[in-house]
Amino acid sequence: MRTDRTTPPEHGGPSETARFVGWLGSLGCAAAGYGVFQFLFGVLPDSLGGQPARYLVAGVSGIGTGVAAWLAAALVRARAATGPSRPLARVRVPSAAERPAPGPLPEVFASAYGTLAEKVAVADDPVRGRLTGWSHSLSESAPLRPTSVGTAYGLHIMLDLGVPDGRLRTGDLVDTLWRLRLSEGGWSARSQGAEARPEVTALVLGALARAGVSGERLAEEVDRCTDAFTHARDRAGRESTHVVTTVLRGLLRAAPEAAVLPLLREVLADGAIGDARREHLRCWGYRLDAPYGLPSALHTAQAVVALDRAARVLGEDEAVRATREDGVRWLLTCTDAPHHRCQDLRNLREEVRRPRTDDPSRHEVLNVRHFTASWVVRALMTPGAREVAAQDGLQEAWRERLDGAAAAVWAGQTDGIWSWGLPDGGELRQPMWMTYQGLSALRAHAVWMYQPEQ
């Protein structure tokens, strides 16, 4: 294939005039002016009006030449800084050698995949069979055993990144999640014991559905999850913003036709609170019933993501839409700066306390940590958030807060793995959920930022 390296004058290197001006400018404006003065003073005849007249003409010419050279050089520098002007009808596509180098995100993804492949745990259980997956954290010491939560998030990561080779197989992860199902159905976190919990069950069901498991196969577990997630049977869960949004997101993937979804959406929307510090806009705290807790960017972002997804699947009425849009506006009214370190992006932790069914006088305590910046990115990237920003003329505020949150997410990773720092300076943890949320947020942001060359 022949490559024509001839470059048209309007698109190629500097013209002859530009070279001359650049050469003249390299002499220095003063030097150029002085050279013209010397030349004219030497060639002007004495009959011009005597020596004073010759000085005057040569001097004015020299000064004029110096000024002209300075202006021309400045113009060339300015045009070079802004790039060559291109006729609209003829835009040259850069060659491969001229294109910018790929960004670091593919390297981050590759590093994350390599670490996950290295850290995957394989265990032969005498009852459940061969288990392939991850424990809760990548920094745990051996012997490692796959857990429902760690493996579900690992499966989500694989589906986000794609599986470039055979070291990890989504089929093995799907089989493992089914084998980790509790004897009476459902799934629970490692610290929750042998009783299924709706938020973990919905997380696993959402991952399985995303991996292609049929609705018919999931239906029985969906029914168990929804039957257990009532105010009478799980009051603590139904009053928790984190738990309700987790169940809502998981079931929207696993059973979008489930009758409980509109009910959970109403519970979530009704749990919004007004914030007098931010124009009385509605937002969310960590609880959906009184006492609601303080307004929280983390829980507001979780609610916005869940309600936006529900709107795409179920539709929404005016009241729910107004509440969701208020949540977006609330996120956009953060006045703290700079936005990659603002208070709205602080990581949070909370407890979900449930009475134990075997001894109601005692409580099961689930410690939940939240990667706030990743949730803010996901909330601001929803179609509904972009619509609100466009309608209200808040595109600049939206972009500033989105870029700040994305920068905070990026700053938290090392080779594609995120760590949760302990406040007491103890050992860093590398929870699977945090790496999934970080990679997912960066991937979504990169897709939105992509603009093909025209």
Side-chain angles (χ1 to χ4, degrees), residues 224-273:
R224 284 200 184 98
C225 178
T226 57
D227 291 345
F229 196 48
T230 64
H231 200 274
R233 298 185 62 182
D234 189 3
R235 180 174 179 178
R238 283 291 291 264
E239 292 178 347
S240 166
T241 304
H242 159 69
V243 173
V244 170
T245 55
T246 301
V247 173
L248 188 55
R249 294 193 318 272
L251 292 183
L252 283 169
R253 279 189 171 129
E257 72 291 341
V260 74
L261 291 176
L263 300 177
L264 294 179
R265 179 185 59 185
E266 296 300 323
V267 167
L268 182 57
D270 290 344
I273 57 177

Side-chain angles (χ1 to χ4, degrees), residues 54-69:
R54 292 167 61 202
Y55 271 111
L56 178 61
V57 172
V60 170
S61 299
I63 293 173
T65 300
V67 171

Side-chain angles (χ1 to χ4, degrees), residues 367-379:
N367 290 303
V368 184
R369 295 175 175 85
H370 298 291
F371 188 7
T372 305
S374 71
W375 280 108
V376 172
V377 170
R378 294 164 75 179

Side-chain angles (χ1 to χ4, degrees), residues 19-29 32 69-70 73 77:
R19 293 194 187 95
F20 172 74
V21 172
W23 171 81
L24 188 61
S26 67
L27 297 177
C29 301
W70 181 83
R77 287 194 299 271

Side-chain angles (χ1 to χ4, degrees), residues 413-430:
Q413 59 84 29
T414 301
D415 295 330
I417 303 298
W418 276 258
S419 299
W420 180 276
L422 298 180
D424 58 2
E427 181 182 359
L428 292 176
R429 298 176 181 174
Q430 296 175 330

Side-chain angles (χ1 to χ4, degrees), residues 300-322:
T300 299
Q302 289 181 336
V304 166
V305 170
L307 289 177
D308 192 273
R309 292 188 185 177
R312 307 297 150 182
V313 176
L314 308 174
E316 64 183 347
D317 58 29
E318 291 293 333
V320 174
R321 183 178 68 181

Side-chain angles (χ1 to χ4, degrees), residues 72-111:
L75 178 60
V76 169
R77 287 194 299 271
R79 292 182 65 182
T82 58
S85 60
R86 297 179 178 178
L88 294 178
R90 299 182 64 188
V91 178
R92 184 173 64 90
V93 178
S95 66
E98 294 172 324
R99 294 180 188 274
L105 193 56
E107 297 177 6
V108 168
F109 288 170
S111 296

Side-chain angles (χ1 to χ4, degrees), residues 146-395:
T147 65
S148 300
V149 173
T151 303
Y153 279 116
L155 178 55
H156 273 303
I157 295 173
M158 292 302 104
L159 297 173
D160 269 0
L161 299 183
V163 185
D165 54 53
R167 288 179 291 172
L168 297 171
R169 300 178 187 274
T170 56
D172 293 340
L173 305 179
V174 168
D175 290 343
T176 294
L177 287 174
W178 280 114
R179 291 169 182 162
L180 289 172
R181 184 174 46 169
L182 299 173
S183 58
E184 296 184 0
W187 291 264
S188 67
R190 184 169 55 186
S191 62
Q192 290 174 319
E195 185 171 355
R197 291 304 183 189
E199 66 273 20
V200 181
T201 298
L203 167 69
V204 173
L205 290 174
L208 291 173
R210 192 178 171 202
V213 177
S214 68
E216 290 78 9
R217 189 179 181 189
L218 299 176
E220 185 177 352
E221 292 302 332
V222 168
D223 290 341
R224 284 200 184 98
C225 178
T226 57
D227 291 345
F229 196 48
T230 64
H231 200 274
R233 298 185 62 182
D234 189 3
R235 180 174 179 178
R238 283 291 291 264
E239 292 178 347
S240 166
T241 304
H242 159 69
V243 173
V244 170
T245 55
T246 301
V247 173
L248 188 55
R249 294 193 318 272
L251 292 183
L252 283 169
R253 279 189 171 129
E257 72 291 341
V260 74
L261 291 176
L263 300 177
L264 294 179
R265 179 185 59 185
E266 296 300 323
V267 167
L268 182 57
D270 290 344
I273 57 177
D275 185 2
R277 297 172 301 174
R278 297 195 185 185
E279 306 172 12
H280 296 279
L281 293 166
R282 283 167 290 186
C283 59
W284 281 264
Y286 80 101
R287 282 173 52 88
L288 298 173
D289 288 329
Y292 298 96
L294 296 175
S296 162
L298 176 275
H299 295 96
T300 299
Q302 289 181 336
V304 166
V305 170
L307 289 177
D308 192 273
R309 292 188 185 177
R312 307 297 150 182
V313 176
L314 308 174
E316 64 183 347
D317 58 29
E318 291 293 333
V320 174
R321 183 178 68 181
T323 304
R324 174 179 57 79
E325 291 180 345
D326 259 15
V328 173
R329 294 185 180 98
W330 188 91
L331 291 172
L332 295 178
T333 57
C334 173
T335 57
D336 196 12
H339 288 289
H340 66 283
R341 290 191 309 219
C342 69
Q343 291 297 306
D344 275 6
L345 301 183
R346 289 177 304 160
N347 289 339
L348 300 179
R349 15 181 339 178
E350 65 176 289
E351 292 181 349
V352 179
R353 303 175 63 89
R354 292 181 170 101
R356 289 175 48 173
T357 55
D358 60 339
D359 184 359
S361 65
R362 302 175 63 187
H363 285 78
E364 163 201 297
V365 179
L366 177 66
N367 290 303
V368 184
R369 295 175 175 85
H370 298 291
F371 188 7
T372 305
S374 71
W375 280 108
V376 172
V377 170
R378 294 164 75 179
L380 295 179
M381 288 292 299
T382 59
R386 299 198 298 269
E387 291 169 4
V388 169
Q391 291 169 6
D392 294 359
L394 297 173
Q395 293 95 330

